[in-house]
Each structure stands twice: as structure tokens, then as C-alpha cells.
């Protein structure tokens, strides 16, 4: 989860949650709402490999789909 404080009229708090299970993400959102916070917007983004990537080596495809957030040395 990534959190950020938002300055302005749209929001006081922003949460970005990354995961592979849509139901776990939805459960997280439900718990946020149950805590008393108002969820004003919710967005789901799906990462997939394009049909134009046919023939791309497996290690490159996996890096695209399962990218690590750790900085590379």
C-alpha cells in the first residue's frame, strides 16, 4: 500500500493498493469504508501483455507483469 496526503479540495488522503487478487483488494476497500472513511473514487488497473509482444522472451514478459518496486543496484 502506498499512502499520500493530498492538498486541495478533492481529497485529504490517497491510498494506492497493489495486489494480484481482486477480491482481496475489494475487501480492503470495504474495510476502509467500514472504518468511517468516505471512498470518493475507486479505480482498478489490469496489467497484461499485448498481442504485439508475441515471441518476447519469458524473462522480459515476467519483468513487465511482475515488476518489483525495489530499486535496482
Amino acid at each position: 500500500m502506498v499512502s499520500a496526503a493530498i492538498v486541495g479540495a478533492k481529497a485529504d488522503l490517497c491510498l494506492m493498493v497493489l495486489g494480484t487478487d481482486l477480491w482481496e483488494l475489494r475487501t480492503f476497500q470495504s474495510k476502509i469504508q467500514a472504518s468511517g472513511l468516505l471512498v470518493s473514487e475507486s479505480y482498478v488497473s489490469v496489467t497484461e501483455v499485448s498481442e504485439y509482444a508475441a515471441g518476447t522472451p519469458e524473462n522480459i514478459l515476467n519483468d513487465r507483469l511482475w515488476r518489483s518496486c525495489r530499486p535496482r543496484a
Side-chain angles (χ1 to χ4, degrees):
M1 180 178 72
V2 177
S3 61
I6 307 298
V7 178
K10 290 275 184 176
D12 295 323
L13 178 68
C14 171
L15 299 175
M16 180 174 69
V17 181
L18 306 174
T20 58
D21 186 342
L22 181 61
W23 292 112
E24 283 183 13
L25 296 173
R26 182 61 181 108
T27 300
F28 179 83
Q29 180 178 336
S30 295
K31 289 180 179 181
I32 291 295
Q33 289 174 301
S35 75
L37 293 175
L38 172 65
V39 176
S40 59
E41 290 191 39
S42 179
Y43 177 77
V44 175
S45 176
V46 177
T47 302
E48 59 187 354
V49 176
S50 167
E51 64 272 11
Y52 299 111
T56 303
E58 193 71 24
N59 63 326
I60 294 175
L61 294 176
N62 287 337
D63 187 45
R64 168 75 174 104
L65 291 173
W66 310 108
R67 185 166 303 210
S68 171
C69 292
R70 294 181 305 243
R72 296 184 182 179

